[in-house]
């Protein structure tokens, strides 16, 4: 049959005059000059399982959903009587059908991936909480330190050279008894009067250890300890200390020896440097001490010995 098309507004639909059926199949050739026909009867097979409340299909048995409405109603009534005849009174038998419960509701099925995600979320939450607490502690400590600093205004001790005297100084050959000369050496005697000042206004200071080193042309030629120690200083106070440096056979290079001779012979000045090393403690109240090291520096310009006085000092 030919099909006739009609135009429907907005779309095109195909109208078929009758139900579509497969064309009938005739006899098929067998290959040996004859024909064969299919006379085998195909039984209906059902896929209903015993767990779903059904039974395997049996030939001749009525199939649910087929037949007239009266036959279906009779079959349902018969099944209901058969099910209630074997059920204890007060209890009803219901077909076991799978129920789907939302994953978030209690008693629902939880997939392994969801459980794995929950186990991963706990360490991540703990790590985030630790980071937050750590940074909060850092902020609190920083604010406390800033508050203490702004209130007390702590400052390190100051070193100032009040007076100095170069009593002796000359360059000699560095020798070993019974051996040849092994280079040049410096011998000198220097006395320095220093003032150690506490510039703080609200903090008490304690100097547990004080040491001064003497340098010439960048090389250390002597060291001395400042006594007595420890030194307790109140705010806005100072203490005077006299330090003696006795330099004996300090090795010098030829360039340093020439610089010393030029300074002393030409009438000066001789340039020396003092470097301090103070172990300082600042007391912020009774229960908050703070200890640290301070390294003050001073540069001295001296007249030539034997009566070398202090020309200028810068600390």
């Amino acid at each position: 049959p030919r099909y006739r098309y009609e135009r429907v507004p907005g779309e095109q639909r195909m109208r078929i005059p009758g139900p579509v059926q497969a064309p009938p199949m005739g006899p098929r050739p067998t290959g040996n000059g004859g024909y064969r026909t299919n006379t085998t009867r195909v039984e209906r097979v059902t896929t209903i399982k015993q767990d779903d409340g059904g039974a395997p299909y049996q030939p001749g048995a009525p199939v649910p959903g087929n037949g007239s409405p009266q036959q279906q109603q009779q079959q349902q009534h018969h099944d209901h009587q058969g099910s209630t005849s074997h059920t204890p009174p007060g209890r009803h038998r219901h077909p076991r059908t799978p129920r789907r419960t939302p994953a978030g509701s209690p008693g629902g099925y939880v997939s392994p991936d969801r459980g794995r995600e929950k186990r991963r979320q706990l360490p991540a939450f703990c790590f985030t909480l630790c980071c937050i607490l750590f940074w909060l502690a850092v902020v609190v400590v920083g604010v406390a330190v800033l508050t203490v600093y702004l209130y007390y205004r702590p400052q390190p001790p100051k070193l100032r050279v009040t007076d100095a005297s170069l009593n002796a100084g000359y360059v000699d050959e560095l020798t070993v008894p019974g051996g040849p000369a092994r280079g040049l050496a410096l011998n000198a005697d220097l006395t320095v009067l220093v003032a150690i000042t506490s510039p703080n206004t609200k903090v008490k200071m304690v100097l547990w250890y004080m040491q001064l080193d003497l340098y010439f042309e960048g090389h250390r030629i002597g060291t001395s300890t400042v006594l007595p120690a420890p030194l307790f200083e109140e705010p806005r106070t100072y203490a005077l200390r006299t330090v003696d440096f006795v330099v004996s056979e300090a090795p010098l290079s030829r360039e340093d020896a020439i610089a010393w001779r030029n300074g002393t012979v030409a009438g000066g000045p001789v340039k020396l440097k003092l470097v301090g090393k103070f172990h300082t403690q600042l007391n912020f109240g009774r229960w908050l001490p703070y200890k640290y090291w301070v390294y003050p520096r001073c540069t001295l310009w001296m007249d030539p010995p034997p009566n070398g006085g202090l020309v200028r000092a810068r600390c």
Side-chain angles (χ1 to χ4, degrees), residues 29-273:
T30 59
N32 54 2
Y35 294 88
R36 67 178 179 182
T37 58
N38 186 10
T39 59
T40 304
R41 182 179 177 181
V42 179
E43 300 292 344
R44 178 174 292 178
V45 180
T46 180
T47 58
I48 301 176
K49 298 181 181 180
Q50 187 68 23
D51 294 341
D52 298 334
Y57 174 76
Q58 299 178 0
V63 180
N66 294 340
S68 61
Q70 292 81 3
Q71 294 177 357
Q72 294 180 7
Q73 187 176 4
Q74 292 176 2
Q75 180 67 23
Q76 293 177 0
H77 181 67
H78 177 72
D79 296 341
H80 178 69
Q81 289 180 354
S83 62
T84 55
S85 61
H86 299 284
T87 305
R91 300 181 63 183
H92 300 279
R93 180 182 179 184
H94 299 279
R96 291 183 295 177
T97 56
R99 294 184 300 174
R100 294 184 178 179
T101 308
S105 61
Y109 172 73
V110 180
S111 64
D113 295 339
R114 188 175 181 86
R116 207 173 290 115
E117 290 179 359
K118 288 185 177 180
R119 289 193 297 269
R120 291 177 181 175
Q121 288 177 358
L122 182 59
F125 175 77
C126 295
F127 178 76
T128 305
L129 182 61
C130 292
C131 289
I132 293 174
L133 294 178
F134 172 76
W135 287 114
L136 285 177
V138 169
V139 171
V140 171
V141 172
V143 171
V145 171
L146 181 61
T147 304
V148 171
Y149 177 80
L150 294 178
Y151 178 76
Y152 288 100
R153 296 283 183 175
Q155 297 183 20
K158 304 295 183 180
L159 180 65
R160 183 168 58 91
V161 177
T162 304
D163 194 8
S165 175
L166 184 58
N167 303 318
Y170 60 93
V171 177
D172 196 4
E173 295 288 341
L174 181 61
T175 59
V176 178
R182 303 181 58 181
L184 300 176
L186 176 63
N187 299 274
D189 183 9
L190 178 68
T191 303
V192 181
L193 179 63
V194 296
I196 303 172
T197 308
S198 175
N200 300 285
T201 58
K202 299 180 180 179
V203 182
K204 295 182 179 181
M205 185 173 62
V206 182
L207 298 177
W208 296 100
Y209 179 78
M210 296 175 288
Q211 175 183 324
L212 290 177
D213 297 330
L214 182 63
Y215 286 82
F216 176 72
E217 296 294 332
H219 301 285
R220 187 172 65 176
I221 59 176
T223 182
S224 180
T225 303
V226 181
L227 297 175
L231 175 63
F232 296 88
E233 288 193 339
E234 297 292 331
R236 293 291 184 179
T237 58
Y238 67 93
L240 295 175
R241 293 290 187 272
T242 302
V243 184
D244 293 327
F245 293 94
V246 178
V247 182
S248 176
E249 300 293 335
L252 286 181
S253 63
R254 187 166 298 275
E255 291 79 7
D256 296 342
I258 294 174
W260 180 271
R261 287 174 179 173
N262 291 337
T264 55
V265 173
V270 179
K271 185 178 178 181
L272 300 173
K273 182 176 290 187

